[in-house]
Amino acid sequence: KSLLDAEEEALQKELNNTNAVARELEGLNATFEKLTTEASNKKKKLEALNLSNKNAESAEAKRMEEGKKVLETLESAKAELASLAAQVEALQLEKKRVQDDDQKKAQEFANETSKLDTEIRSLQSDTYQLDESIQKAHQARLECEEEHRQQLAMIEADKRGQEAQM
């Protein structure tokens, strides 16, 4: 009996050991399932983060593309502003040239007007002197005509006097 008892005892120990191993396995299995669940959750979180990261990268790429377009637009506007500034500068130079031309022409006109005014005064003076000369010549002619008439009258009177004496 003792052999049987010993064997039973050995089997009981083995059964206890097996049960302990089974419990340990169940615990390990539960831990494995828990770890698998955690890993699955972490995998899902990682996939969500990857998706979020991809969305963020896509949004960043879109922002960069929009930024490039804005930069191109700004560069184009800058070039256009430079062109407009050059045009304004050219127009200002042309305006100054025209103003200088106008000022030069105005000065020439003022000089010409001054010369003409001087000429007009000279002509007026000449005209006044000519009028006086004409009046004097007219007066002298009238006086000559009067003197001539008187001489003719005297000659006529002398002729009649001579005819009367004859």
Side-chain angles (χ1 to χ4, degrees):
K1 189 176 180 190
S2 98
L3 189 57
L4 207 67
D5 281 340
E7 207 175 302
E8 186 182 330
E9 200 174 302
L11 283 173
Q12 189 61 42
K13 272 186 184 180
E14 213 175 296
L15 180 62
N16 287 342
N17 284 342
T18 303
N19 283 338
V21 168
R23 279 192 300 278
E24 222 175 289
L25 275 175
E26 283 178 11
L28 287 173
N29 195 25
T31 301
F32 179 76
E33 283 183 23
K34 182 180 174 188
L35 288 175
T36 302
T37 302
E38 285 178 16
S40 174
N41 287 340
K42 286 184 180 181
K43 183 181 176 187
K44 287 177 184 172
K45 284 182 184 176
L46 187 60
E47 286 173 352
L49 280 174
N50 279 340
L51 182 62
S52 173
N53 208 10
K54 283 181 184 176
N55 288 342
E57 286 174 0
S58 175
E60 181 66 20
K62 283 181 184 175
R63 281 194 298 277
M64 285 187 68
E65 192 61 37
E66 288 171 1
K68 284 180 187 176
K69 288 179 183 173
V70 167
L71 215 89
E72 288 170 1
T73 303
L74 286 174
E75 288 297 323
S76 174
K78 183 179 172 184
E80 195 170 327
L81 278 175
S83 171
L84 288 173
Q87 289 176 9
V88 165
E89 188 176 341
L91 286 173
Q92 286 173 336
L93 288 173
E94 178 65 16
K95 179 182 174 185
K96 176 147 178 38
R97 188 192 63 73
V98 167
Q99 285 174 337
D100 290 349
D101 265 5
D102 286 352
Q103 189 175 2
K104 184 179 173 186
K105 286 178 183 173
Q107 187 61 46
E108 288 173 0
F109 181 76
N111 291 344
E112 195 62 33
T113 302
S114 176
K115 286 178 190 176
L116 288 174
D117 285 345
T118 303
E119 252 182 77
I120 288 171
R121 281 193 294 280
S122 174
L123 287 173
Q124 285 173 336
S125 174
D126 290 351
T127 302
Y128 177 75
Q129 289 173 0
L130 191 58
D131 281 347
E132 280 186 352
S133 295
I134 289 171
Q135 284 178 359
K136 286 178 184 176
H138 185 63
Q139 187 64 37
R141 193 185 100 214
L142 290 176
E143 288 172 5
C144 282
E145 285 177 354
E146 183 59 34
E147 196 178 308
H148 184 64
R149 230 180 286 128
Q150 288 174 1
Q151 286 176 354
L152 282 177
M154 284 172 52
I155 291 172
E156 201 55 47
D158 281 347
K159 260 186 177 175
R160 276 189 239 142
Q162 285 177 358
E163 285 176 6
Q165 287 179 356
M166 286 199 209

